[in-house]
Amino acid sequence: MDCFRIQGGEKLAGKVLAAGSKNAALPMLAASLLMDDPVRLTRLPALEDIRTMRALLSDLGASVESNDDASEWQISCPAEGPTEAPYEIVRRMRASVAVLGPLLARRGRAKVSLPGGCVIGVRPIDLHLKGLAALGAKIHVKHGEVIAEAPAGGLRGGQVYLASRWGSTVLGTANVMMAATLAKGRTTLDGSAQEPEIVALAEFLNSCGARVAGAGSTQIRIDGVTSLGGGSGRIPADRIETGTLLLAGAATCGDVEVGDCQPTELAVLLDMFQSCGVPFRQGEDWLRVMPWTKRPRALDICCRPYPGFPTDLQAQWMAFSTVAEGLAMVSDSVYPDRFMHVAELNRLGAHIRREGGSAWILGQAQLSGAPVLASDLRASAALVIGGLAASGETIVRRVYHLDRGYQQLERKLSDLGAKVRREVDEEPV
Ligand code: EPU
């Protein structure tokens, strides 16, 4: 098991490029199960979750070929083939559930293990199932498996409200949208997720012959087609990786530019920088935070679905807030239990108190390095930011969580002047 050894206190400086987005790539890869002809995807990030999706597609009978650095894949999926996503894979990666809609639409049946909760909270898939049922699928949940079957004549268009009273669902919207591309007639999805990853998926599906309109709004309309051809697509920039790098820059009073990214998708973060006093600049495809002269002010945030503040940047924002001036409240309406990083940030000298779905942070002039334990992907990123801002040495253990969503983060941080080293962790955990 690897860990990161960080000598904190360096002001990050320099320019790095954003990687392709994990959360855009996963449903786009699952969508290849819908296509009659080969699909070519480029700018795939080399991440553990992406490798897991590759294993799942291969299990489902797809042939996947890639170039040397695995950034470009060609995928061919036969119409006939296995229809089961086993627990062994689904338990490793919850996003495996994104094959449910495509399998059901193309092969008429899907059996996918029910993903359980995880450390960031309870994560049901009732809305995915509600949406697929609205397309005529018969759904049974038994022995921890979801079995979905299309009616004899195939799925048919329907109308469904896909949000819960807490908000929309990203992968649920993706799943039902993908299934509806091959259903007969029109499907209307109200309460759809508006995340950029949904827009990227819709554009990719349309480039393969689908007829999806309204992606990016709360109502998506899909006119089903009888088959989808192949196509090609470039994975968009990872807005969460970009935000993480900018927050690492801001927390260390650094000067960090991220190129090849999508600034408009981070409008809410830039607005927060503006309000709290972190200077930044932006171009069409780059963002740069610059050193502050006065400690940034602590600001309250509440994470909400896009275009709100992303829950996937909550932990990193909290790490930044630990060195801001004053008191701030961070709440997460998407995952009210996503606070595993609080206790570990406190080990670095942060003053954070959790109360239910919120946490209060009293900013400190200086954190101090310590050994800490990563609990999940974004919590790991927060601990790395905390370690970079702290004085002395921080060891972040269990960075396999980080590797699920950040491609060689230590290399990008080193390029920015951080003193961070990946090591084999000798300590038993
Ligand atoms: N929800 C339901 N019923 C459902 C589905 C979701 O009640 O059927 C609830 C969830 O419990 C949660 C909220 O709705 O409270 C939002 O969940 P959503 O379905 O949108 O999450 P997801 O699609 O499973 C994706 C990302 C997550 C990200 C969330 C929210 C991928 C692969 N994962 O998950 O990313 O946090 O959207 O933006 O796209 C991460 O990258 O670290 C990560 C966890």
Side-chain angles (χ1 to χ4, degrees):
M1 217 179 276
D2 288 354
C3 65
F4 278 6
R5 190 179 293 275
I6 301 168
Q7 296 298 333
E10 299 295 325
K11 294 183 177 183
L12 303 191
K15 179 178 172 179
V16 287
L17 297 181
S21 156
K22 164 181 86 77
N23 289 350
L26 290 169
M28 285 168 77
L29 288 167
S32 64
L33 290 164
L34 291 163
M35 316 297 175
D36 284 350
D37 297 317
V39 162
R40 188 167 169 273
L41 290 173
T42 58
R43 203 200 197 183
L44 281 152
L47 298 172
E48 198 49 43
D49 275 10
I50 300 293
R51 287 188 280 274
T52 303
M53 183 56 91
R54 182 176 186 152
L56 179 55
L57 292 176
S58 303
D59 241 46
L60 292 170
S63 97
V64 185
E65 285 163 27
S66 57
N67 64 347
D68 286 348
D69 68 359
S71 62
E72 297 185 13
W73 297 13
Q74 171 134 329
I75 309 162
S76 309
C77 283
E80 304 293 326
T83 53
E84 298 187 11
Y87 183 57
E88 196 274 312
I89 293 188
V90 179
R91 77 179 167 76
R92 271 166 39 207
M93 185 184 68
R94 194 182 177 281
S96 309
V97 76
V99 301
L100 184 58
L103 281 178
L104 179 66
R106 182 124 181 268
R107 295 183 177 166
R109 180 181 184 276
K111 184 172 167 189
V112 175
S113 285
L114 203 56
C118 65
V119 290
I120 68 173
V122 187
R123 300 181 72 184
I125 59 161
D126 55 311
L127 294 169
H128 301 229
L129 304 186
K130 177 183 172 189
L132 297 174
L135 304 182
K138 290 269 168 296
I139 307 219
H140 307 277
V141 181
K142 232 185 191 171
H143 306 302
E145 311 273 1
V146 176
I147 300 162
E149 276 160 354
L155 297 175
R156 51 174 196 274
Q159 194 279 333
V160 64
Y161 182 73
L162 259 194
S164 70
R165 64 201 160 104
W166 311 113
S168 51
T169 163
V170 182
L171 284 178
T173 301
N175 237 333
V176 184
M177 183 165 90
M178 289 190 280
T181 57
L182 292 180
K184 285 190 188 67
R186 171 168 284 206
T187 297
T188 305
L189 306 182
D190 285 306
S192 304
Q194 296 170 266
E195 269 68 4
E197 293 74 25
I198 294 295
V199 177
L201 177 63
E203 283 172 358
F204 173 58
L205 290 167
N206 285 344
S207 76
C208 298
R211 295 173 61 199
V212 180
S217 77
T218 56
Q219 188 192 67
I220 298 180
R221 297 164 305 283
I222 305 122
D223 287 311
V225 295
T226 49
S227 66
L228 291 173
S232 56
R234 183 173 189 257
I235 308 297
D238 193 319
R239 64 191 168 105
I240 304 302
E241 186 210 31
T242 302
T244 302
L245 291 163
L246 294 176
L247 282 163
T252 59
C253 190
D255 188 338
V256 169
E257 182 173 324
V258 182
D260 209 2
C261 67
Q262 277 294 337
T264 51
E265 295 176 357
L266 284 166
V268 65
L269 179 64
L270 300 182
D271 189 52
M272 300 297 288
F273 281 153
Q274 173 104 40
S275 305
C276 73
V278 173
F280 67 90
R281 288 212 192 123
Q282 61 180 311
E284 208 166 293
D285 67 349
W286 58 268
L287 282 167
R288 175 179 170 199
V289 288
M290 290 174 298
W292 32 266
T293 42
K294 188 168 172 289
R295 244 172 91 202
R297 284 181 300 284
L299 284 184
D300 296 350
I301 59 157
C302 180
C303 301
R304 299 187 192 285
Y306 191 84
F309 196 94
T311 173
D312 292 343
L313 282 177
Q314 181 255 103
Q316 302 90 312
W317 176 267
M318 195 185 288
F320 160 71
S321 301
T322 62
V323 291
E325 175 112 55
L327 184 68
M329 188 177 81
V330 167
S331 331
D332 196 327
S333 73
V334 182
Y335 294 118
D337 290 323
R338 194 176 204 176
F339 287 114
M340 298 288 281
H341 40 283
V342 166
E344 297 299 305
L345 285 172
N346 281 342
R347 282 184 52 73
L348 298 177
H351 282 207
I352 311 173
R353 199 176 73 213
R354 183 182 167 188
E355 282 178 18
S358 303
W360 290 94
I361 302 124
L362 181 61
Q364 305 296 304
Q366 181 70 67
L367 301 182
S368 63
V372 287
L373 209 53
S375 55
D376 64 81
L377 168 54
R378 307 303 171 188
S380 321
L383 297 178
V384 170
I385 293 175
L388 292 169
S391 62
E393 182 174 275
T394 293
I395 298 175
V396 182
R397 298 214 146 89
R398 299 192 182 173
V399 291
Y400 61 85
H401 290 295
L402 194 85
D403 294 337
R404 292 186 53 191
Y406 293 92
Q407 182 178 332
Q408 294 185 316
L409 185 64
E410 74 279 21
R411 184 171 294 181
K412 282 191 184 173
L413 292 173
S414 300
D415 288 349
L416 294 171
K419 292 194 174 139
V420 49
R421 244 186 12 238
R422 180 184 288 268
E423 291 180 0
V424 174
D425 192 359
E426 307 291 354
E427 292 278 317
V429 278

